[in-house]
Amino acid sequence: MKKSNGKLNYNIAIFISGRGSNLKSIIKSSLKKKTLYKVKIVISNRKKAEGLLFAKKMGIKNYFFDFTKSKKIGGRVLNLLKKNSIKLVCLAGFMRILPSYFIKSFNGKIINIHPSLLPKYKGLNTHEKVILNNEIYTGCTVHYVNKFLDSGKIIAQRKVRITKKDTVKSIEKKVLKIEHKVYPKAIDKVLSNL
Ligand code: GRF
């Protein structure tokens, strides 16, 4: 359970659907040995998710599960988490709503990152909504996952200033930059309270 630097080493799983820039930052932080976790497995609901290739390159076990296909998939994923002694599931751009029995079975041990200052702007297209509402600040939130979309208890939040010149693209870039800093720290915060 201990890393070479004497810190505790909890196994975590990352669920992704695409690019995986958060996945990369979470893995890179753990390689600097500054974290309490080790990314043991990566799971994607999209076969061609870029993040899966990165996991492979880093020698991390990676899996594709078609969550739409069968109700049994959740059970198979839960078995995999158990087999790998996973203490925490981190959703990072995972674009599927997990079945409620899955959330129940892993109760309080699933977290997500969302690109807005929750409770504002749940769901998709957050940056568009931020612009439409003439917000001066936006940001990111790490929160526990419950059965309601983007509604679980907040773990960490950070804001960034935006200006009238900002576009969806430039806001996305600013927000992602802070996401990459906030998520690894939030994971450690959760693990240190287990
Ligand atoms: C991030 O903006 C995250 O907040 C949201 O989906 C995006 C995933 O980006 N849930 P990436 O795949 O980590 O690059």
Side-chain angles (χ1 to χ4, degrees):
M1 265 302 250
K2 292 241 170 100
K3 279 190 184 180
S4 54
N5 60 355
K7 281 193 174 185
L8 283 174
N9 207 1
Y10 294 103
N11 289 343
I12 66 166
I14 314 286
F15 285 26
I16 58 163
S17 296
R19 170 181 60 187
S21 69
N22 277 288
L23 168 79
K24 283 183 196 167
S25 82
I26 293 167
I27 293 173
K28 282 185 180 162
S29 299
S30 76
L31 295 178
K32 289 184 203 147
K33 292 188 180 163
K34 284 183 180 159
T35 58
L36 298 178
Y37 62 83
K38 175 187 176 186
V39 180
K40 190 82 196 288
I41 54 175
V42 175
I43 291 176
S44 172
N45 68 320
R46 279 191 49 239
K47 215 176 214 163
K48 294 204 166 143
E50 245 182 83
L52 277 183
L53 290 178
F54 183 74
K56 200 172 174 186
K57 202 171 112 192
M58 301 307 286
I60 297 170
K61 289 194 269 184
N62 54 93
Y63 303 87
F64 156 71
F65 284 100
D66 186 349
F67 283 78
T68 58
K69 278 276 157 66
S70 129
K71 286 197 174 148
K72 286 185 191 150
I73 291 291
R76 282 173 52 199
V77 176
L78 282 169
N79 281 339
L80 191 65
L81 299 180
K82 207 170 158 198
K83 209 172 119 194
N84 285 281
S85 311
I86 299 300
K87 291 282 178 281
L88 188 71
V89 168
C90 306
L91 310 184
F94 184 66
M95 302 304 282
R96 274 212 76 78
I97 296 184
L98 289 166
S100 54
Y101 73 87
F102 186 96
I103 297 174
K104 243 190 197 161
S105 326
F106 226 69
N107 195 16
K109 289 175 196 147
I110 308 177
I111 65 175
N112 179 43
I113 188 156
H114 183 75
S116 80
L117 295 171
L118 290 174
K120 279 189 165 181
Y121 311 123
K122 295 173 183 175
L124 297 173
N125 306 320
T126 55
H127 308 319
E128 281 90 337
K129 293 174 193 162
V130 158
I131 292 176
L132 277 175
N133 285 300
N134 294 311
E135 296 283 5
I136 303 170
Y137 288 101
T138 187
C140 67
T141 306
V142 179
H143 64 94
Y144 286 100
V145 171
N146 62 18
K147 60 180 176 175
F148 304 107
L149 183 70
D150 301 327
S151 298
K153 192 174 161 215
I154 291 174
I155 298 157
Q157 205 161 47
R158 185 143 156 202
K159 57 183 182 178
V160 278
R161 177 136 190 136
I162 46 176
T163 68
K164 291 242 173 293
K165 282 187 191 157
D166 271 309
T167 60
V168 169
K169 271 243 155 322
S170 69
I171 296 176
E172 188 191 9
K173 202 170 160 195
K174 280 184 184 176
V175 172
L176 267 178
K177 198 171 165 191
I178 55 167
E179 286 187 33
H180 298 160
K181 295 199 172 113
V182 169
Y183 211 1
K185 285 190 187 143
I187 295 170
D188 264 14
K189 184 176 166 188
V190 171
L191 292 172
S192 63
N193 287 322
L194 279 186

